[in-house]
Amino acid sequence: MKFSSYLLDLEQLQTELIVIPYRNDVPNLAFEAMDKIVLGALSERMKLENFRGQKDRTIIWEGLHNNLPYRVIIVGIDSGQDPAAVRWGIGRAVRFATAHSLKSITCVLDAQDFERLERETLLFAEGTVLSNYQFDKYKTKAKKTPNTFHLTFTAVGNTDDGFPTLKKIKQQAAAGRIRAEAVNLARDLVNEPANVLSPAELANRASALSEKHGLECTVLSEKEIKIAGMGLVTAVSSGSELPPRFIHMVYKPKTKSEISVALVGKGITFDSGGLCIKPGKSMAEMKTDMAGAAAVMGIMSVLKQLDISAEVHGIIPAVENAVGAKAARPGDVYRSQSGKTVEVVNTDAEGRLILADAITYACRLNPNIIIDIATLTGSCEIALGSECAGLFAARDEDAVAFENAAKSSGEAIWRLPLLANLESSIKSDVADLKNVGDRFGGAITAALFLKQFTENRAWIHLDIAGPARQDKSTPTCQKGASGFGVLAGLTYLQNLNRQQS
Ligand code: BES
Ligand code: ZN
Ligand code: ZN
C-alpha cells in the first residue's frame, strides 16, 4: 500500500476513485467543489436517493469528465463524532474499489475546520488499512490477497498556507497507517490456529518483533518460570504437553522517561477449560484466548514509530490450558509468585491465575501504572454484549484517561465497579484465595481476584472477552479477530506524550 498527500487541483485528479466523507450536519467544501466539476450530478443523485450522510449509506457516481472515466463515492459518516463510523466510510469505499479492481484512491477532505481535517485523515488512513486486512494464509485456492492501493489524500478550502496543511495531513496519514498495522498484527496472532501458535511460538514472534522494532525482549523458559516461583503459571500449564513461556518486552524512549507503564496481556494459546472442560461449542473459539497478549504485542510493535515518550513494558504469560494427566485439579492449592496461596476451584478460571503471577512480576518493575488486557470472563460479555469491553480501575483518574482514549479511538468500553462486598466470595477455606467467587457478578469477582496482586498500585483491567472476536464482517473488520484494545491502548500512550510535553 502506498500513501501520498498533495494539495491538488481537483480538475487535474488522476485517480480511479475519488472518496469524499460526508457529514450530516455541516456543509462540505470537498463535496461542493466536486459537485461543480460534475455539473451538479452529485447533488442531484443525493436528492434522488435521499442521502443525508447516514453512516451506512454511500452515493456512487460514475461518468466521463474531460473524456476520462470519473468515479466518485460519497460516504456517509453521520456527525463524524464516532471514529468507527468514519473508518466504516472509507472501509466501504475500499470494498468498492476491491470489487472493481481499482488501484488508486484519492480522498478529498474538507479543510475548513483544521481539527476535523486531521481527525478524518487519521481515521481514513486507519480505515483503509483495517478494511484491507485478510487472513487467508491457509487457503490453498482463491486467495484474496490484500489489495495494493495507492491512497492519496488531498484537501479543499483553507489550504492557502500550503506546506503546513500538507505536513499535518502527511503526519496523520502516517500515524493512522502505523496504528492500523498494529491492529492487524494483533489480528494475525489471534487468527493463527492454536496448533501453530503454541506458547513457544508466541514467544518466538515476540522476540522477532522486538528485534525488528528496537525492543528488548527476555523470554523465561519452563524451568526459569518454576525457579522464579510463578506457581500459578506452572499450575495452569501442567496439563499441557506444550511448555509455557513468560515474555517480557521493553520499549525505552529516546530520552529517559519519568513515566513507565506495564502492559500485561493474557496469553492462553488455547483454553480447553482444563479438567473442568468446556462444552464443545464454548471451546470452539478458544484460540482467541490470547487476544490480550496479541493486543500488547501489537501496541509494543509501533511505540518507536509513534515516538511514545513513556517507558513501556509488555508482559505476557503464555500458556496452554489443557487436560493432560498432570493437569491441575479442582481443590488443588498453589503458591503464587507473590507468596499468596490460591485454591483452584475451577480450572477454567485460568486466566486470572496466570495474570496474578504476571501482575506480581509487573509490580517488581515499579511502574507508574499496570494495565492488563484479557479475554477473562464470559460474564463480561453477558453484561456488556459482544462489542464492548469491561473496564475496571483502582483510581478514578486512570479510568477517565482510558475512557477518553477509547472514545477518541472508537473502541467501546464501559466501566464496571470493583465492589468490595463481593471480595469475601473469593476467600478460600483452605488457602488465602480461591479462583472463583459466586455465580453472579463473575466479571467483577475475576477483577477483584486480580486486584489482590496489584499491591494497591495504579491499575486498569480491561476484560475483552466480548469484543476480541467478531462474528460478522464489517467494512473494517473481517469475521474473526478484531485486534480490540490496540487503538485505545495506543491513544492512551500517545495522550501521555501530550501531558509530558
Ligand atoms: N477464556 C474464558 C473467558 C471467555 C469466554 C473468553 C468467552 C472469550 C469468550 C475464561 O478463561 C473462562 O473460561 N472463564 C470462565 C470463568 C468461570 C469458570 C468462573 C467463564 O467466564 O465462564
Ligand atoms: Zn477458561
Ligand atoms: Zn480463558
Side-chain angles (χ1 to χ4, degrees), residues 102-424:
L102 309 177
K103 295 289 180 199
S104 61
I105 302 180
T106 297
C107 306
V108 184
L109 303 175
D110 184 329
Q112 56 187 322
D113 172 346
F114 219 69
E115 227 171 83
R116 173 180 163 189
L117 174 68
E118 287 190 64
R119 250 168 71 82
E120 282 176 5
T121 309
L122 176 86
L123 295 169
F124 262 37
E126 285 179 3
T128 304
V129 176
L130 293 176
S131 64
N132 206 26
Y133 175 81
Q134 299 280 350
F135 187 79
D136 55 8
K137 65 192 270 201
Y138 296 109
K139 294 225 191 256
T140 56
K141 287 188 209 113
K143 283 198 191 230
K144 289 189 230 145
T145 34
N147 224 324
T148 45
F149 290 114
H150 181 182
L151 187 75
T152 304
F153 286 96
T154 190
V156 176
N158 257 358
T159 56
D160 294 346
D161 63 352
F163 188 67
T165 302
L166 196 57
K167 194 171 159 209
K168 278 283 180 214
I169 297 180
K170 276 190 202 296
Q171 273 172 353
Q172 294 300 317
R177 175 191 196 148
I178 292 166
R179 284 161 53 87
E181 279 169 356
V183 177
N184 287 348
L185 187 145
R187 288 176 175 177
D188 265 342
L189 289 166
V190 176
N191 282 327
E192 197 69 71
N195 63 319
V196 175
L197 200 83
S198 60
E201 179 59 17
L202 189 64
N204 288 343
R205 304 234 182 152
S207 306
L209 83 81
S210 298
E211 177 100 7
K212 187 169 165 199
H213 297 286
L215 310 171
E216 291 166 23
C217 181
T218 318
V219 176
L220 303 188
S221 66
E222 181 170 29
K223 200 169 150 204
E224 288 165 326
I225 289 170
K226 276 195 186 129
I227 292 170
M230 296 182 186
L232 301 183
V233 173
T234 302
V236 175
S237 142
S238 58
S240 173
E241 290 288 319
L242 304 171
R245 292 286 185 272
F246 193 91
I247 306 163
H248 178 190
M249 293 166 275
V250 191
Y251 163 76
K252 295 214 168 105
K254 281 191 303 249
T255 37
K256 202 173 158 25
S257 173
E258 302 276 287
I259 296 185
S260 74
V261 177
L263 302 175
V264 179
K266 173 175 171 182
I268 293 288
T269 56
F270 188 75
D271 184 9
S272 69
L275 288 183
C276 306
I277 197 162
K278 285 182 185 291
K281 227 176 140 213
S282 324
M283 204 194 293
E285 277 152 12
M286 280 302 143
K287 69 172 184 180
T288 312
D289 216 18
M290 36 57 72
V296 170
M297 285 166 69
I299 291 170
M300 295 302 295
S301 73
V302 296
L303 297 177
K304 194 168 173 193
Q305 282 165 283
L306 293 177
D307 203 16
I308 295 299
S309 57
E311 179 173 302
V312 185
H313 296 262
I315 297 160
I316 295 168
V319 183
E320 184 185 48
N321 188 22
V323 289
K326 292 183 183 153
R329 321 156 190 71
D332 283 1
V333 175
Y334 298 97
R335 191 184 173 82
S336 66
Q337 194 190 39
S338 73
K340 289 194 162 104
T341 55
V342 179
E343 179 189 4
V344 174
V345 178
N346 189 319
T347 62
D348 197 9
E350 82 300 334
R352 64 199 76 181
L353 296 173
I354 63 166
L355 287 172
D357 276 345
I359 288 171
T360 299
Y361 182 97
C363 286
R364 292 182 183 175
L365 302 168
N366 197 24
N368 295 81
I369 186 163
I370 298 171
I371 303 178
D372 79 75
I373 312 178
T375 46
L376 203 62
T377 66
S379 276
C380 197
E381 186 171 7
I382 289 170
L384 299 175
S386 299
E387 285 168 23
C388 183
L391 172 98
F392 296 86
R395 303 188 309 189
D396 292 344
E397 63 260 43
D398 299 324
V400 170
F402 207 89
E403 280 168 338
N404 287 339
K407 191 157 187 236
S408 65
S409 41
E411 293 197 308
I413 60 167
W414 199 257
R415 190 176 180 189
L416 297 172
L418 288 157
L419 297 172
N421 65 318
L422 293 183
E423 229 161 85
S424 56

Side-chain angles (χ1 to χ4, degrees), residues 41-90:
L42 291 175
S43 41
E44 196 173 294
R45 179 64 58 87
M46 215 174 117
K47 268 198 213 107
L48 215 63
E49 298 190 20
N50 197 20
F51 174 87
R52 291 182 312 275
Q54 304 93 318
K55 74 168 181 199
D56 52 352
R57 298 277 309 276
T58 56
I59 292 239
I60 296 160
W61 184 84
E62 296 173 280
L64 285 177
H65 177 66
N66 291 342
N67 282 331
L68 288 170
Y70 222 61
R71 278 194 195 85
V72 184
I73 179 165
I74 313 290
V75 297
I77 57 169
D78 280 353
S79 65
Q81 298 302 315
D82 174 9
V86 182
R87 287 193 292 257
W88 277 29
I90 186 72

